Amino acid sequence: MTPRQPLTVTRNPDGTHSPAYDSAWPPLTQLEWSAGIASIETGLTIRVTESGGKYHFSISGGHGLSGQGLMPLDEAYAFLDGVRMGARETARRLGENRA
């Protein structure tokens, strides 16, 4: 058995993403796709792993590495939303401090 490669998402020049989202993917792949979009939006590296039907995030970028783990799928999506909001707010505050 070969190890599973995580899904990598990129933004195309026209603003779409590759691969395109597929609702037929298993839950981990769907969550990896959402994490890939969040990575593109925030500039952070966000990795997802699954263990026993729960999900763990490793996030790096900026000034360090952090992890958040194990949570059910609905909480994992809420966590990603929080990462996006936190990154936007941090960027906004840094912009204010540089002006």
Side-chain angles (χ1 to χ4, degrees), residues 29-81:
T29 305
Q30 291 182 34
L31 187 58
E32 284 177 324
W33 189 88
S34 293
I37 299 300
S39 290
I40 291 168
E41 292 174 357
T42 64
L44 300 169
T45 300
I46 305 171
R47 298 286 179 242
V48 184
T49 55
E50 180 184 17
S51 178
K54 293 193 176 184
Y55 302 89
H56 174 269
F57 290 96
S58 295
I59 301 173
S60 60
H63 299 287
L65 170 72
S66 66
Q68 181 68 34
L70 291 168
M71 63 188 82
L73 191 59
D74 60 336
E75 289 179 21
Y77 280 107
F79 176 76
L80 278 179
D81 288 342

Side-chain angles (χ1 to χ4, degrees), residues 80-91:
L80 278 179
D81 288 342
V83 168
R84 286 183 179 107
M85 288 187 290
R88 279 194 298 267
E89 180 63 15
T90 298

